[in-house]
Amino acid sequence: MDPSQATREVFWNIQYTWLVYALMVPTLAIFAWGFWLKIRRWRAGQPAVRFDRIGERLRLFLRNAVGQGRTIKRRYAGLFHTLVYTGFIVLFLATTVVAIHHDTPLHIMKGHFYLIFQSLIVDIFGLFVLVGVALAAIRRWISKPKLLVYTDEASWILVTIFVMALTGFMIEGWRIAVTDDPWAAWSPIGNLFALGSDPWMTDTAMQRGHVIIWWFHLVVAFGWIAWVPFSKMSHVFTAPLNIFTANLDGYGGSLKTIDFETAERFGINHLGDFTWKDLLDFDACTECGRCTDVCPANTVGKSLSPRDIILDLQGLMHKRGDEFLGSRAGNGNGGNGSGELLPIIDQKTAVSPEALFACTTCAACMEACPVHIEQMPKIVDARRYLVMEEADFPEGMMDMMNSLESRQHPFAGTQFSRVDWTEGLDIDVMAEMDDPHEAEVLMWVGCGGALVERNRNTVRATAKLLKKAGVKFAILGREESCTGDPARRVGNEFLFEMLAKGNVETMERYGVRKVVTSCPHCFNSFRNEYPHFGGSYEVYHHTQFLDQLLESGRLDGNGAGDSSNGSSTITFHDPCYLGRHNGEYDAPRNLLAQVGGARQVEMERSRNTSFCCGGGGGMAFVDEPPDQRVNQERAQEAVDTGADVVAVGCPFCATMLDDGVNARRGDRDVQVRDVAELLWDAVGESEEPAP
């Protein structure tokens, strides 16, 4: 046998082959029509720029769409999804090869290519599909994890894929057996079917079975293709597109600004107010439940479920989208032809006010989503409507915003001023300096650092470390106002914009260009949000700046003492707005390495999978039910590491974890301390500045 002549007949044992093409036309027409309906709805959404920076988008696409980078982070689900996904790609390529070979002059399905790819590789990847579907079925029908959505549609998808793969092997096996194919060994799975059928089936029976199963396989495959746009399987196309059009600026810069001069409504409570990318998000959802599984609010039993919010909005779009979106919303303002609007916030759905205001804006949902759906910004947009249009928000948040409006800080009951923490430290205040431009950096103290007693040690330690390193810095003192982060996350965009513009004006007056802050929320505002209002700065979190000082030698870490007061173990809690929102995980850990006599251990959820302290999104100002406190959930995880010190890098985290650790530590002595405090204890024996 000459391997160069190896091939097979495409339509062996099949008559009326013209029916294949006759059935293909309506199949592809229905397929195209289904996706056109989706595209028409998306195009009716508000504008969004998501086809810029093509190079970055292609890299993201290759990593998380082609390479399934996020999907494989869950091992079991990642395994079966990868088996089915790669199997389908290879089977599609094999079908394409058959079409080229049969319907064009390019007879490519022969020789070594036929044996190696079209026979061996295709058989192996076809087996991958069968195994992958079986693993998925075990998970869905036997182990039944809580995070999944259980629907008949999902089960039928598994059954249909399994049937297509199985009948494909049956067809191949019977052809091999009847024709006594000399190349059977190159098709190991098909050959197994052939060997298994030979003892109990005659050639005539196998030929008849081949014809019946061949046409059954074709009808099932064509029916499945036509069904794809109308089912969950549409994510095969919508998910890669959603990944390609993902937000490239990080979670910290994901919130939209509002043009208060032209906006008809503030925030979102109507389907037509979403951007086309938001509408694509709804269709891209795979119902995997990973977002809800990592949601801090959902973990402690609150009603918030990011997945259910997306799916409820998806259902609303599919049910009434043609009426409100199909013809570009009829009147261009998100309504139908009669001007009627379609509300999304409803007490009876997952998009309820109670659920929306439980969000800590930690963005864990966005980090976990394998297809880059942006759940958190949609929640904030809906909050904006409730706050600015309906004046509907929790009582604690109301007190916080009243304080922001009247006192420019969120702590209604504090008796401290913004400069009380400087007592005995001789800190320069810009308004009192002969030339404020002499300051190398502005130390932005932040409301949580200056006005909360337990956090004043943090800003004092930071200031002393800067002085020890010889850094010429100054503060704004009484001219400093809240950056507006709590107002923006709660949904009061107007108040945030007012505070942001005021701070930008003040900082411009003093020529500020470099900012150091110990608050990740302030850090995020300056870095990602203030540029929209004319404030562009070189911004550092205090751990980043101190790490640079150590690296450059301006701050000497040699011979650091034991700052942990006899402790042997430190665990670091990653603040959401430093880590997940802005990608900084190493600087705090580098500084903790300078803490002599202490060993670092990681919590089970750390770095980009860190669990929120519960204080973001305005939740630090809300009195939560005793059995639904996110801070205690995180504190328990910290205590379980056996650490004596829980290190933090955020004033909100410090406050929330202090309360949580006190509730969960039992008889153990566990301290919550900022990285700057620990570093000062280690290297600050002398307050003399470095040369």
Side-chain angles (χ1 to χ4, degrees), residues 269-590:
N269 184 32
H270 303 289
L271 195 63
D273 291 337
F274 285 113
T275 68
W276 66 262
K277 175 58 171 64
D278 292 324
L279 301 177
L280 171 59
D281 272 356
F282 304 153
D283 273 329
C285 182
T286 65
E287 304 177 6
C288 69
R290 296 190 190 190
C291 55
T292 293
D293 191 47
V294 299
C295 174
N298 189 271
T299 298
V300 298
K302 296 181 182 178
S303 60
L304 174 60
S305 170
R307 174 201 62 201
D308 293 344
I309 287 176
I310 296 300
L311 290 180
D312 280 2
L313 292 173
Q314 179 198 88
L316 186 66
M317 180 177 70
H318 289 174
K319 184 177 181 180
R320 303 191 66 187
D322 290 338
E323 177 185 353
F324 286 87
L325 298 172
S327 58
R328 287 197 174 271
N331 54 12
N333 70 352
N336 61 11
S338 303
E340 179 189 1
L341 296 167
L342 181 60
I344 63 166
I345 302 173
D346 188 340
Q347 290 282 6
K348 298 177 182 179
T349 69
V351 197
S352 68
E354 178 187 4
L356 294 170
F357 281 116
C359 178
T360 65
T361 69
C362 69
C365 52
M366 297 171 68
E367 177 69 25
C369 181
V371 298
H372 288 259
I373 291 171
E374 298 162 25
Q375 302 93 337
M376 183 267 288
K378 295 173 183 53
I379 291 172
V380 173
D381 280 336
R383 282 180 168 186
R384 287 171 170 175
Y385 182 88
L386 290 169
V387 170
M388 292 188 287
E389 295 280 358
E390 303 289 337
D392 179 10
F393 42 88
E395 183 178 348
M397 293 182 181
M398 181 185 300
D399 294 339
M400 177 267 288
M401 284 191 281
N402 287 338
S403 180
L404 279 174
E405 290 177 350
S406 60
R407 305 177 69 185
Q408 287 74 56
H409 67 72
F411 299 104
T414 185
Q415 299 300 312
F416 295 112
S417 77
R418 289 193 179 270
V419 294
D420 286 349
W421 68 273
T422 65
E423 184 178 354
L425 291 183
D426 189 25
I427 304 294
D428 287 329
V429 179
M430 283 199 163
E432 300 170 3
M433 297 175 68
D434 293 334
D435 183 7
H437 293 85
E438 291 181 357
E440 181 181 344
V441 298
L442 168 68
M443 179 180 168
W444 185 271
V445 183
C447 309
L451 303 173
V452 178
E453 185 172 12
R454 71 90 52 231
N455 294 326
R456 297 202 298 164
N457 282 338
T458 299
V459 292
R460 286 178 66 87
T462 302
K464 289 189 284 188
L465 287 164
L466 294 179
K467 290 172 72 72
K468 183 177 177 64
V471 177
K472 182 66 174 175
F473 70 95
I475 62 173
L476 287 177
R478 299 181 189 278
E479 290 187 274
E480 184 180 294
S481 295
C482 180
T483 58
D485 168 86
R488 185 170 224 203
R489 267 68 202 171
V490 166
N492 195 334
E493 184 73 5
F494 184 82
L495 179 55
F496 162 74
E497 190 170 315
M498 181 184 73
L499 292 166
K501 289 180 177 178
N503 283 324
V504 168
E505 183 181 343
T506 300
M507 294 165 75
E508 189 66 28
R509 189 165 67 248
Y510 292 116
V512 173
R513 290 295 174 264
K514 186 183 290 188
V515 180
V516 175
T517 179
S518 59
C519 178
H521 296 262
C522 299
F523 170 74
N524 179 71
S525 293
F526 285 128
R527 186 186 192 203
N528 297 309
E529 298 175 338
Y530 274 38
H532 295 291
F533 305 99
S536 295
Y537 314 104
E538 188 180 343
V539 189
Y540 297 92
H541 186 253
H542 71 311
T543 59
Q544 293 176 319
F545 198 71
L546 294 172
D547 187 37
Q548 287 189 8
L549 293 177
L550 280 169
E551 281 194 11
S552 65
R554 293 181 68 179
L555 191 61
D556 187 5
N558 293 329
D562 182 1
S563 70
S564 54
N565 297 324
S567 73
S568 58
T569 310
I570 295 176
T571 188
F572 180 67
H573 163 77
D574 288 281
C576 301
Y577 275 79
L578 179 64
R580 194 153 40 238
H581 280 271
N582 286 285
E584 180 58 75
Y585 302 105
D586 295 328
R589 290 171 171 82
N590 293 342

